[in-house]
Amino acid sequence: LVELVESGGGSVQSGGTLRLSCTAPGYNFGVGSKGWFREAPGKGREGVVAVDSDGRISYAASVKGRFTFTQDNANDTIYLEMNDLQTEDTANYICVADPRPTRVVAGILLTWYSYFNNRGQGTQVTVSS
């Protein structure tokens, strides 16, 4: 297992922007699947974005068009660019990854938190109106 470390969270006003980072020195994000989930009190856990082994990306409907997943394999880092943040985006954002090749497509991975063997502790995002 690899410890993933998130950063970039914070407090912003509605309409603001944040970029989250997730790094794991020595971990190759170029293979397997990865993504971001979020947890908020009273709302449970929700998949935000998932990327499968073939590089297909699936976003939650609630963030599509506002959030963008990117990765930098040279620096062992993945990112979540979040634009036009809304109060309902307030949550702890958790990075996940798994190196196993899989035929499970991104849309399914978006709902399958337990599939990912490697996870971070999360970074808190708070959006105020």
Side-chain angles (χ1 to χ4, degrees):
L1 295 178
V2 174
E3 182 179 5
L4 307 179
V5 180
E6 303 94 337
S7 61
S11 297
V12 297
Q13 290 192 319
S14 180
T17 296
L18 284 174
R19 187 175 80 156
L20 307 184
S21 301
C22 172
T23 188
Y27 184 83
N28 184 4
F29 281 108
V31 298
S33 50
K34 50 267 180 180
W36 293 86
F37 284 73
R38 65 186 181 185
E39 294 180 340
K43 295 177 67 176
R45 184 184 300 125
E46 175 189 26
V48 177
V49 59
V51 184
D52 64 28
S53 297
D54 291 326
R56 289 170 295 214
I57 303 175
S58 181
Y59 292 94
S62 59
V63 307
K64 202 167 187 178
R66 300 187 297 122
F67 291 12
T68 303
F69 173 92
T70 58
Q71 66 183 78
D72 180 352
N73 292 338
N75 290 299
D76 303 330
T77 304
I78 62 174
Y79 303 95
L80 183 66
E81 179 85 19
M82 306 186 295
N83 298 311
D84 190 23
L85 282 160
Q86 303 299 315
T87 55
E88 54 265 34
D89 295 318
T90 294
N92 186 43
Y93 284 72
I94 302 166
C95 170
V96 298
D98 195 289
R100 295 171 292 173
T102 177
R103 294 186 180 274
V104 181
V105 298
I108 300 298
L109 290 173
L110 194 62
T111 66
W112 198 356
Y113 179 78
S114 61
Y115 173 85
F116 298 93
N117 283 327
N118 302 305
R119 309 165 194 164
Q121 295 297 312
T123 185
Q124 179 66 35
V125 172
T126 303
V127 185
S128 58
S129 58

